[in-house]
Amino acid sequence: MPDLTTGPIGKTLILFALPVMGSNILQSLNGTANAVWVSHVLGEAALTAISNSNQIFFLMLGAMFGMSMAANIMIGQAVGAGDRDLARRVVGTATLFFLALSTVVGALGYTLTPAILTGMATPPDAKRDAIAYLRVIFTAIPILYAFTFLMMAQRGAGDSRTPFFFSLVAVGLEVTLNPLLIMGVGPFPRLDIVGSATATLIAQSTTLAVMVTHLYRRRSILVLTPAEWRSFRPDWDVVKNLVFKGLPMAFQMIVISLAAVTMMSLVNGYGSTTAAAYGAAVQVWTYVQMPAMALGAAVSSMAAQNVGAGNMERVGKIARVGVMYAAIFSATPIVIIYLLDPIILQAFLPAGSPSLPIAVHINSIVLWGFIPFGMAFIFSGIVRATGAVWPPLLAMIIALWGVRVPLANALEPMLGADAVWLSFPAGSLVSLLLAAAYYRWGGWRKSRMLPTTPHGETLDTGMAPPSGVEETEVAAEAAARAPEKETEKAR
């Protein structure tokens, strides 16, 4: 398994983060391609059906993300401590947990799909398609949960390249199958909107089977051989952490989603021209945030292994390098967009659209705020790697619901739509201040997901060799004496 407790921090962070960012870009492009095929072949009602269904889908994945992140951190701490038995217990328990959870969620969701869509006030002309689409997605939930868990578990064990390659396979299959199953090309049946969901099911199932086979061949710690099947029993400490540490991270996704919906409702009040401009700007923001989000995943995995190894000094260095990189890699695309804003936005809006100058204005106010957002994301990733998951959630609630949403509402009578745009960087700045303050003065360094004993850890007897600068000096002194010893031996 890759060891994230040694080696140059900056290089390791970049090499780990790039495949994560690649996977995120692939998923975004996959969603775009899916929407294009559905809208062009089946029409606006079908696209509305998928949009409504995806709100439910993303909500379920948000909950799954939180608990998978908890498993990721536990695996990282166990790997960093060199405790393979603990890592196997986490894998075995998490596998059973997600299998049971996904089965229950899938069955309930399939049954309650019509009621869920009615509660969302799904337009009548889209409701039948939405029911058909969402029921296939609920059928695929066990596969989707298993796929997400294994992808994140590999990152927790220190490997981000393998998940990227399998993301590439899954997205490639889904993009290929989508038009074939929607339109019924060649030997494939015409399934209309169900074809889109079926493409997801087939692509994820096939890739999951290949990924598990690959991990078995590599004798990965993330898959259990028949001799290790005794680990397929619940470890209640692991279950407790999956629930009580995973839920706050899941709630954070929900808090962000609800805030986005609230801001969208404020924007809608200014008419379709402003709403279209905002929608185009959000498409750009999605890609601007990706470097920081990838770095956040990287620092979390690196920090978790070093926490398990008991190397908290290296955790601090990871935080400092991560924050610096987040600022640089967030600022770079922002500067490029500021220079080429109208041209970039024309990918989403026609050149003569009245929404285009509004979108440029929105970006001029909002974009720079993603720099402090990215830096805050790093601090939160470091803190969560120890198991301190509630403070980042509370900071997010304060930044979004204590600052961004109230500020937009309070300033709107005076500033109009500009109040909404100004609330974004304001919330980001507060998020950074809170995250940095807790990182500096909070008690996260004493938190742990599970009790681990770092490998090679011994009691300090006062007879250990010196470290740091002193260690370098001792080594240099020994090297200088070596020729003298050789001369004495020759004599």
Side-chain angles (χ1 to χ4, degrees), residues 412-427:
E412 200 174 15
M414 294 177 288
L415 302 178
D418 279 354
V420 178
W421 322 141
L422 286 168
S423 71
F424 280 90

Side-chain angles (χ1 to χ4, degrees), residues 418-434:
D418 279 354
V420 178
W421 322 141
L422 286 168
S423 71
F424 280 90
S428 296
L429 284 172
V430 170
S431 177
L432 174 59
L433 290 173
L434 292 173

Side-chain angles (χ1 to χ4, degrees), residues 65-153:
F65 172 83
M67 295 182 188
S68 290
M69 193 66 193
N72 177 333
I73 292 168
M74 284 189 281
I75 290 168
Q77 289 185 5
V79 168
D83 193 337
R84 295 180 67 88
D85 288 336
L86 177 59
R88 288 192 185 96
R89 290 205 308 274
V90 173
V91 170
T93 300
T95 301
L96 288 176
F97 179 84
F98 288 123
L99 179 62
L101 178 65
S102 62
T103 302
V104 172
V105 170
L108 285 175
Y110 187 94
T111 304
L112 299 174
T113 291
I116 293 171
L117 293 170
T118 299
M120 291 178 62
T122 302
D125 61 340
K127 189 172 181 181
R128 192 179 76 170
D129 280 349
I131 290 172
Y133 178 89
L134 197 53
R135 277 186 161 163
V136 176
I137 292 296
F138 274 119
T139 302
I141 281 293
I143 299 295
L144 298 174
Y145 273 25
F147 186 85
T148 303
F149 165 62
L150 262 185
M151 295 283 278
M152 295 189 68

